[in-house]
Every structure is written in structure tokens, then in C-alpha cells.
Amino acid sequence: MNNNNDVNQNESRTYVEVIGDTVYDKHLIATICISLIFSLGAFLIGKSIFPRFAPETMVQSYSLLLGIAGSLVGLVVNALLFKPKRTLNETANTSEELKEVYEELQFDLAEERVAILNDPVLHKEMKELGIAEMYLAEKEDPKN
């Protein structure tokens, strides 16, 4: 029953794209409000308390610093309230998929294989990362 409610909630959500990232619009508005409240609130508190003990020329600067500290507190609150919801699914690519990508990018896969085989440091690093087989699947490694 809860799964159906979750699915219905996700379908009714609207998302907006901000600086290349897709976010839930209500969460975006909430984070902006929280950040504004903390930063502006800290600035205004600073303007009211610093004149009591700080030199008059420094009241504005200290208030701005307190506002910046307030915005950092707002950032932490937002990070704790709104966790990332995306999931990243990684799958290993096959040499066939790699060939398709190289063709699309108009790269020469044979040239890449030769370059990998001729550079022992690169070849070792690719083996350690477990991606050498993906590039060299069709040809045998002459060094091993």
C-alpha cells in the first residue's frame, strides 16, 4: 500500500532544471526560504547586537560575517533535510558497446588499442581499473 502511495506521489511531482541539475520544485523553494531566513536573520541579529560592543565602523562588516555564517548554517540544514534522491546504476560496457561509441565519435578503436599496448604504464593502470579487457577484448595482449 505504501509503495502505491509513493509511486503516485512521484508521478504528481514537478521538477525544474537548475544549473544543469533536476530538482523537485517544492524542495527548491523550501531550501531558498531556509537559506534566506538563516542568512538574513543572522545579518539582522548582527546589526542589532554588534553596535553594543563593536566599533561603529565595524558593525556592518561583522553583521555581514554573521550573515555569511548564517547562510552556512542554512546550507547544513538544507543538506540534512533534503538528501539526494537519484540512484546511479553502473553497468560494465562490452567491447561491442565501446565500438559503437567510438564509431559515433569517429575515433579509431584500433589506434587506441595500439596506443594502450605501446604504453605499459597506461596498460597497467587500465588493468588495475579492470577496463583493459573492454578495450582489448578482440585482440590478445602480446605482452602477457
Side-chain angles (χ1 to χ4, degrees):
M1 181 115 172
N2 282 340
N3 288 339
N4 288 338
N5 289 337
D6 290 342
V7 170
N8 289 336
Q9 267 186 334
N10 287 337
E11 289 175 359
S12 65
R13 289 183 171 185
T14 55
Y15 295 91
V16 292
E17 188 170 330
V18 179
I19 314 173
D21 200 3
T22 306
V23 294
Y24 179 44
D25 60 351
K26 290 181 182 173
H27 289 177
L28 177 65
I29 292 169
T31 56
I32 290 170
C33 291
I34 290 169
S35 297
L36 187 66
I37 289 168
F38 276 98
S39 59
L40 190 60
F43 174 73
L44 293 175
I45 288 171
K47 284 195 69 136
S48 67
I49 63 168
F50 285 125
R52 296 179 193 158
F53 52 86
E56 188 177 328
T57 56
M58 298 303 292
V59 168
Q60 191 74 6
S61 298
Y62 290 159
S63 299
L64 285 173
L65 285 174
L66 195 60
I68 291 170
S71 68
L72 290 175
V73 171
L75 174 75
V76 170
V77 169
N78 286 329
L80 294 174
L81 287 177
F82 306 107
K83 305 272 186 210
K85 293 160 189 69
R86 71 175 67 101
T87 56
L88 181 63
N89 296 323
E90 291 186 32
T91 58
N93 288 340
T94 63
S95 62
E96 292 300 318
E97 291 170 334
L98 185 65
K99 190 183 291 184
E100 289 176 19
V101 171
Y102 267 65
E103 285 175 5
E104 189 175 309
L105 296 173
Q106 298 178 346
F107 288 154
D108 187 3
L109 188 55
E111 263 183 43
E112 294 297 321
R113 286 182 176 135
V114 170
I116 293 167
L117 292 172
N118 289 335
D119 186 349
V121 175
L122 176 63
H123 190 206
K124 180 182 174 193
E125 187 175 329
M126 290 180 75
K127 275 188 166 183
E128 289 172 358
L129 293 172
I131 58 174
E133 297 79 26
M134 188 171 63
Y135 285 87
L136 306 172
E138 292 180 6
K139 291 188 175 185
E140 287 294 317
D141 184 0
K143 294 179 182 173
N144 292 333

